[in-house]
Amino acid sequence: MKTNAYVDGFNLYYGCLKDSPYRWLDVAKLCSLLLSSHEIYRIRYFTAPLNFRPDNPYQRQRQQTYLRALQTIPNLTIHYGHFLTNAVRMPLAHSSPTGPQTETALVLKTEEKGTDVNLTTYMMADSLSGESEMAVLLSNDSDFKTPIEFLRS
């Protein structure tokens, strides 16, 4: 069966790979193992380029190296969202019993933007064009529940 795979890159990394020895995952090999009876027509990998963080100065470089490796897979394309980072005040998980009712701290909050929308848009466009007979999503993000229900109907 002609199959397209859609990979939520950050969800896959932070949900399965980050603390494992398999961080440099061959996504094409994973798809061929999971879908051994299918013809993997296209793999779409969705991510966002990391911003420089002083607490992890080589993180961006490692991601770029991994993405260059993924680009060697002939039927894989990479689609980018972006990150927004803002300083926001958030409550502490455990406030001091002698301090104010709700202690807060100024933290950097980084959010991935556009990736889920891009993934959903491509999955729907590919489905409607009839380029494949089956779509497989590699993610554990519940935000995809409604688009998948829509596509299944």
Side-chain angles (χ1 to χ4, degrees):
M1 182 177 292
K2 193 174 174 184
T3 302
N4 282 0
Y6 302 84
V7 181
D8 180 352
F10 277 100
N11 190 278
L12 178 65
Y13 178 76
Y14 285 104
C16 297
L17 305 174
K18 184 176 185 272
D19 295 319
S20 80
Y22 307 108
R23 288 181 289 203
W24 294 82
L25 180 67
D26 180 341
V27 175
K29 182 71 169 179
L30 175 66
C31 290
S32 69
L33 290 171
L34 291 174
L35 305 162
S36 59
S37 64
H38 298 262
E39 171 198 351
I40 308 299
Y41 178 70
R42 180 189 305 273
I43 302 168
R44 293 191 185 272
Y45 187 91
F46 296 84
T47 190
L50 294 167
N51 296 326
F52 174 79
R53 298 291 292 258
D55 61 320
N56 195 345
Y58 299 107
Q59 182 180 30
R60 182 179 168 98
Q61 182 181 2
R62 287 191 308 271
Q63 182 200 36
Q64 290 171 342
T65 302
Y66 179 62
L67 294 176
R68 281 195 305 275
L70 286 181
Q71 288 172 331
T72 66
I73 299 170
N75 63 337
L76 185 142
T77 53
I78 300 173
H79 305 270
Y80 293 98
H82 63 279
F83 279 105
L84 287 180
T85 301
N86 295 301
V88 296
R89 188 157 294 281
M90 299 187 75
L92 295 176
H94 301 286
S95 295
S96 166
T98 59
Q101 193 90 352
T102 305
E103 292 182 84
T104 63
L106 191 61
V107 299
L108 286 177
K109 183 175 182 184
T110 302
E111 296 178 282
E112 187 183 17
K113 296 292 186 182
T115 304
D116 290 357
V117 172
N118 292 344
L119 190 154
T120 302
T121 301
Y122 275 99
M123 192 182 321
M124 288 186 177
D126 292 348
S127 175
L128 292 171
S129 75
E131 92 169 11
S132 65
E133 300 168 276
M134 183 175 172
V136 175
L137 172 62
L138 286 102
S139 180
N140 192 31
D141 188 339
S142 62
D143 288 345
F144 293 117
K145 182 179 183 291
T146 300
I148 288 172
E149 288 172 351
F150 176 82
L151 283 169
R152 291 182 80 187
S153 69

